[in-house]
Amino acid sequence: MVPDDCASRLLYRRCLRGWSQSDLARAAGLPQSLVSLLETGQREGARIQAGRLLALAQALGITVEYLLLGDAPRVDLRTATASAPPGDRPPVGRTASRHQARAAGGG
């Protein structure tokens, strides 16, 4: 079975560790009631504070991205930008300001 939503992934990963909801809550420093709400789908992962999601993910040894999205294709923007041909890279920093000035006819 491949977990297909946040609640299922959370439950699946917790069970892989052999933990109870209380064990996970303790490891993440969160209330057990929150773990229960997430696992039963009564509370969506996207509606939880980022710090709490991070604590759950770290306790389970997974990423927040996996918890929310599963094994969806990933794009590392740092790598994608670095591998783009020079003319295709977006300008940043001072270069961006000069580029914007030129585009506006000021340079």
Side-chain angles (χ1 to χ4, degrees):
M1 174 189 122
V2 176
D4 62 356
D5 63 10
C6 181
S8 299
R9 285 186 289 277
L10 185 63
L11 175 64
Y12 176 74
R13 291 305 212 160
R14 177 177 63 77
C15 290
L16 279 179
R17 289 193 176 250
W19 286 356
S20 67
Q21 288 181 349
S22 295
D23 293 333
L24 174 56
R26 198 170 18 264
L30 299 171
Q32 182 271 329
S33 59
L34 178 61
V35 174
S36 176
L37 289 171
L38 286 166
E39 285 188 358
T40 58
Q42 295 177 44
R43 189 94 177 257
E44 293 179 21
R47 301 186 65 124
I48 303 298
Q49 293 174 349
R52 289 180 164 199
L53 282 174
L54 181 60
L56 286 167
Q58 287 177 334
L60 293 168
I62 58 176
T63 64
V64 172
E65 180 182 34
Y66 169 79
L67 188 56
L68 292 176
L69 304 174
D71 286 329
R74 295 179 181 90
V75 175
D76 184 341
L77 294 178
R78 295 168 298 180
T79 306
T81 301
S83 63
D88 292 346
R89 290 186 199 153
V92 294
R94 290 183 186 167
T95 304
S97 300
R98 288 194 301 259
H99 191 278
Q100 289 164 351
R102 279 191 209 126

